[in-house]
Amino acid sequence: MRKGEPFSLTTGLPISYASAAGERNWYDFAVQFTDAQWVRTSGNNRKNVAKALMATTVALLKSSPPSHFAPVDVRTALREFAFNTGRRESTEAEIGAILAWVRRNSPAMSVWEDARTVERVLGTLAKRLDGSATAASSVKRTRRILNVAMEYAIKHDVLKSNPLPKGRGASPKSSAAVDKRALVGKVHAAHLLAWVRRRPRGGPRLHAFFATMYYAAPRPEEAVAMRVVDVRLPAVEDSDQWGELLIHTAQPEVGKHWTDTGEIHEKRGLKGRAEDDMRVVPCRPALTRLLREHIAAEKLKPGEFLFQGEGGGMLAGSVIRRAWATARKQVLPPEEFASPLGKRVYDLRHTCLTNWLNDGVPPAQVADWAGNSVPVLLAVYARCVTGQLADLKRRIEDGGELPEVPEVG
């Protein structure tokens, strides 16, 4: 005040205290942040970052798009080109015009210093386009990405502090626990796998894939990456028919626009492990027989994919999901088809891990076979473990009941 220094009407702070946020356009910052993340993250993470930044940018626009720009085209231009480092330079004239308009109508980064704007943007991100609530897991993922973006802004002297709310209530609560209703019981599994096996197009191959998920619990991206050489099976004449599956690679399907190679699948190490790490999963006799028959019927060589698509390449996720969805529709009665029972292919893995725990396999061993940590395993499957329930009930009853109290006359 003695120096006659002006104050910001937004923050109430002297101009000398202000960050460089007023000099930086949000769109330009978001593009820079995208490029910084691109070089060190996976394809799925790149896609999630693009979705989060697209939704945030739309929420921050100073005005609605002009009538000749369809809202869906604006979102597509942002998600698929502006926030995609690999495709940004190959934009068509129409896409370029949309992005130029978005840049002109994006506010300065100082907008994040206004608490009311932050609250409005977060509220918008918590709703779908139709006004319904966004899934809690999606909201939390978007908040995590924005937190990383804000920390990046602080590191590069664009913002002074992280404007996103912290503490209890800042993000919606979501549960990581498996829904017990989604688990596939033995009878249901038998009928579903039998229907898949009879499927006219690629049924036996898909049957082997789904059976491996049900009996050995690989993640789908791990199962499609397995090679014949990764299956260690005993000789037919051996008395012990337990085999081993060597899982060391994951190839999730992320789309060719999000990988460095331009391939649909991205080759990676195992989730949460070092790049060259692996795990060994037991192959029970029933699965040993099934895989031995599958390898022989398909005439597979050691270096080939264990589960192949029609052309001999990698099994496509769309084929897997479509086959499983059709099997559910054909096998399950309407009320069970509408329920969570086996709704996702991933539920086969959930079922296998739950069965192992219910059969008394120590959690540390199950976690090692599953590629999880013990705390995560117990948090996710605690509600589904009932194998020792009868014994626990007996122990509770053995504790005795309340003693009889004589009636007072």
Side-chain angles (χ1 to χ4, degrees), residues 225-230 298-308 312:
M226 290 177 63
R227 306 268 177 173
V228 177
V229 72
D230 298 323
E298 297 292 322
K299 300 179 181 178
L300 299 177
K301 297 178 181 178
E304 293 180 332
F305 285 120
L306 180 61
F307 308 114
Q308 299 182 355

Side-chain angles (χ1 to χ4, degrees), residues 10-125:
T10 302
T11 65
L13 297 174
I15 294 300
S16 60
Y17 281 45
S19 64
E23 304 170 4
R24 194 67 181 279
N25 179 279
W26 157 257
Y27 175 82
D28 292 338
F29 168 81
V31 168
Q32 179 185 344
F33 173 70
T34 297
D35 293 345
Q37 293 292 103
W38 187 273
V39 297
R40 60 186 186 85
T41 55
S42 66
N44 270 326
N45 188 266
R46 293 169 178 176
K47 191 184 298 185
N48 288 332
V49 168
K51 289 179 181 179
L53 295 180
M54 176 272 292
T56 304
T57 301
V58 171
L60 286 171
L61 289 174
K62 298 175 184 177
S63 59
S64 300
S67 58
H68 58 281
F69 290 158
V72 65
D73 291 338
V74 174
R75 293 193 296 272
T76 300
L78 287 169
R79 184 183 63 250
E80 301 293 332
F81 294 94
F83 304 133
N84 184 315
T85 301
R87 302 183 73 195
R88 192 180 306 126
E89 299 302 323
S90 61
T91 57
E92 300 175 358
E94 183 178 353
I95 298 296
I98 291 175
L99 296 182
W101 177 86
V102 169
R103 185 180 185 279
R104 292 194 303 271
N105 283 271
S106 290
M109 285 291 289
S110 56
V111 72
W112 290 104
E113 296 174 340
D114 181 6
R116 291 172 297 181
T117 299
V118 173
E119 184 177 359
R120 177 182 63 80
V121 170
L122 295 181
T124 301
L125 297 177

Side-chain angles (χ1 to χ4, degrees), residues 163-224:
L164 301 181
K166 297 288 191 297
R168 182 173 297 182
S171 294
K173 294 184 180 296
S174 61
S175 175
V178 170
D179 187 342
K180 191 174 182 178
R181 298 172 298 170
L183 301 181
V184 185
K186 288 183 173 63
V187 175
H188 284 116
H191 283 86
L192 287 165
L193 292 177
W195 188 92
V196 170
R197 190 177 185 87
R198 295 192 301 269
R199 188 173 184 261
R201 193 171 176 179
R205 289 196 300 270
L206 289 166
H207 173 265
F209 173 86
F210 292 131
T212 300
M213 287 200 61
Y214 181 81
Y215 283 129
R219 297 178 176 90
E221 62 268 25
E222 296 169 346
V224 298

Side-chain angles (χ1 to χ4, degrees), residues 313-384:
M314 185 168 291
L315 188 59
S318 58
V319 173
I320 296 168
R321 292 187 294 272
R322 186 165 56 248
W324 186 249
T326 306
R328 289 185 74 250
K329 187 173 183 180
Q330 294 295 325
V331 171
L332 301 180
E335 62 276 9
E336 290 183 340
F337 176 73
S339 75
L341 194 158
K343 198 163 190 177
R344 303 184 306 156
V345 175
Y346 208 94
D347 291 327
L348 292 172
R349 168 178 161 87
H350 287 323
T351 300
C352 179
L353 298 184
T354 301
N355 289 342
W356 283 342
L357 291 170
N358 280 330
D359 291 339
V361 180
Q365 182 63 75
V366 174
D368 182 62
W369 291 342
N372 285 337
S373 66
V374 174
V376 167
L377 182 83
L378 295 179
V380 171
Y381 297 99
R383 297 178 184 174
C384 303

